[in-house]
Amino acid sequence: MKQFIQYIVFIFIAIATISSCSEEPLDEDGKGTLTGKVVQAETFEPIPNAKISSNPNTSSVFTDSLGDFLIENIPVGDYSFEAKKDGFITRFEGVTISINETTNVVFELDPEEDENNPPEIPELITPEDNEQNINLSVDLTWSCSDPEEDILTYKVTLRNSITDDIEVFEDITDTIFTLENLNYSTKYFWQVTANDGINPDVNSITNSFRTLEFPNARFLFNRKVEDNHVIFTADEDGNELQLTSASTNSFRPRKNTQANKIAFIRTTGGQAHLYTMNPDGSNVFKVTQTVPLAGFNLDYYNYSWKSNGSQFLYSNFDKLYQINADGSGLTQIFQTPNGKFISECDWSYDNSRIAVKVNDVNGYDVEIYVIDMTGTVLYNVLSGENGATSGLHLSVDNSKLVYSRDISGYETSEYRQLDNRIFIYDFNTLTATELDTNKPAGYNDYDVRYSPNEAQVIFVSTSNDGVSERTIYSCDVDDTSSREALFNNSIMPDWK
């Protein structure tokens, strides 16, 4: 009996061993199959003897008389298969081979004589490259041909060099296109793109032209564009021209007619520096390098040109500096005796005296006084008054000083102002008189300056709610009914 049981166990083990040996091993590398057909693209007639190969390389086969092919035992993975036959344009197809599966692909080959060539590179004709004094409406012309005489469509790309704005005009069917409403004093770059509806776009070279100079631009001001201050100039008819790009924060423009330059402040890297540029916004030059412009709030900060355009006055907290317009000769000429910040300064036309406005770190406890070039105080214009002040401009003969002050005396950490009015201080009588600008109740008139002939003042006005739009106004000194809005959504005016 014992022998019989042992025999049975032996037989069972033998059968189990044979069964385990008969199982196929796990195929970790896996393979698949590709079948396919090669035909002519338009007629779908089979193409025999077309060569089929792949990348990565597997094996090459040729199609049979029916255009069919078969490739077996291809390792799984992604491939680019190529179908090639003399007289036809080679075609590539992406194929994924999966384990133990058959993938099918069809190649549609175009005859070589049917290959379409792209258009020639467009040749720009007018305006000529770098042409000057172009009208604000201009015809762009170019020439272009196509080897197969396909119908071409064009695209014109135009870039404004000052604002960096890009305009694209598409679906143009002629080799002439009219640009309208261009800006004065602006360099434009333009390029033409041709397309035949078959091939990729073909681009021309890029040419440039410059429009007519802006006529009689006497006004300067700032506008907020997106998150940055942008400088604009305008003439007396209200025509406007943007001078600085919205990609930089540029503000407080001041023009010097003798130097024929515009100065302005630009913030970069957390610091404010003084710059100059041509009246059309070109030739930007950084004046200050080592000592930046600084005060309690740059929105209420001001610097001053020397009348001949050779130098500037500007402040860094409690210190007043003089610097040459070319960036040389930086010199400290004054420091407040009580540590107050110098927020504004104005250099007299004869360069003999300087009006300064000083305040504490919050913009209050204001003092306005006039010093000579040695720092000696000549006149005390304002002190001991609560509330904000802004704007500081000496008359050409040094007899008067115009400024604005919030007579409500309201003070807050947000520097909100409730009743800002314009005053003129007379150095002959040593008295300040309010200038009646016909200001509506609940409004602030501030940031005031004289007009070039001093018969008017220019200033900013807005509701005291702190959120309304700000507008630049002018008003005759001797006629309170002459209050006139000049530029909407604008601040920091200058009139030369």
Side-chain angles (χ1 to χ4, degrees), residues 41-175:
E42 294 189 6
T43 65
F44 297 102
E45 293 181 6
I47 299 178
N49 296 320
K51 182 180 180 181
I52 309 300
S53 57
S54 69
N55 182 22
N57 186 41
T58 54
S59 59
S60 298
V61 299
F62 289 87
T63 56
D64 60 20
S65 59
L66 299 177
D68 296 322
F69 66 89
L70 170 69
I71 304 177
E72 298 179 304
N73 297 320
I74 305 173
V76 298
D78 294 327
Y79 294 85
S80 175
F81 279 88
E82 174 191 70
K84 185 176 183 180
K85 177 69 182 286
D86 289 344
F88 293 87
I89 300 171
T90 301
R91 183 71 179 265
F92 297 88
E93 294 287 349
V95 176
T96 298
I97 299 298
S98 302
I99 187 170
N100 297 329
E101 291 187 6
T102 298
T103 303
N104 185 265
V105 64
V106 175
F107 292 93
E108 299 178 11
L109 304 188
D110 291 295
E112 284 185 345
E113 59 269 25
D114 291 342
E115 182 177 6
N116 188 282
N117 294 301
E120 301 295 331
I121 296 175
E123 180 181 354
L124 307 185
I125 300 175
T126 61
E128 295 182 0
D129 191 27
N130 204 32
E131 189 171 344
Q132 307 293 307
N133 297 318
I134 297 297
N135 289 326
L136 304 189
S137 176
V138 60
D139 289 336
L140 305 179
T141 65
W142 62 92
S143 64
C144 187
S145 60
D146 185 85
E148 289 80 26
E149 298 185 353
D150 294 326
I151 296 176
L152 300 180
T153 58
Y154 301 100
K155 176 176 67 177
V156 171
T157 303
L158 183 73
R159 181 172 72 86
N160 183 315
S161 66
I162 294 176
T163 64
D164 287 329
D165 291 340
I166 295 176
E167 293 183 272
V168 179
F169 306 93
E170 299 184 288
D171 300 323
I172 302 169
T173 57
D174 200 355
T175 56

Side-chain angles (χ1 to χ4, degrees), residues 347-363:
W347 208 344
S348 65
Y349 186 79
D350 63 3
N351 310 126
S352 66
R353 60 188 63 182
I354 305 165
V356 295
K357 186 196 84 174
V358 302
N359 48 255
D360 62 20
V361 296
N362 298 311

Side-chain angles (χ1 to χ4, degrees), residues 236-342:
E236 293 178 327
D237 294 325
N239 298 308
E240 299 178 4
L241 173 66
Q242 183 176 333
L243 296 182
T244 60
S245 170
S247 64
T248 61
N249 192 44
S250 306
F251 54 99
R252 191 60 73 182
R254 291 283 181 259
K255 186 175 182 179
N256 186 283
T257 55
Q258 293 193 46
N260 197 30
K261 291 283 186 179
I262 296 171
F264 62 98
I265 302 171
R266 175 170 289 171
T267 55
T268 54
Q271 290 189 336
H273 282 278
L274 190 61
Y275 290 76
T276 59
M277 62 182 171
N278 291 339
D280 61 3
S282 63
N283 196 28
V284 173
F285 175 75
K286 186 179 181 182
V287 178
T288 55
Q289 299 289 336
T290 57
V291 179
L293 286 65
F296 93 99
N297 187 329
L298 289 175
D299 287 342
Y300 301 95
Y301 180 96
N302 211 342
Y303 59 92
S304 184
W305 278 98
K306 191 172 185 177
S307 57
N308 65 6
S310 64
Q311 293 178 317
F312 291 98
L313 292 177
Y314 76 97
S315 63
N316 179 281
F317 297 118
D318 63 338
K319 299 177 180 65
L320 187 65
Y321 290 90
Q322 179 177 304
I323 190 171
N324 295 330
D326 64 3
S328 65
L330 178 65
T331 307
Q332 180 184 322
I333 64 171
F334 180 71
Q335 184 172 9
T336 60
N338 50 13
K340 289 184 178 180
F341 295 167
I342 302 171

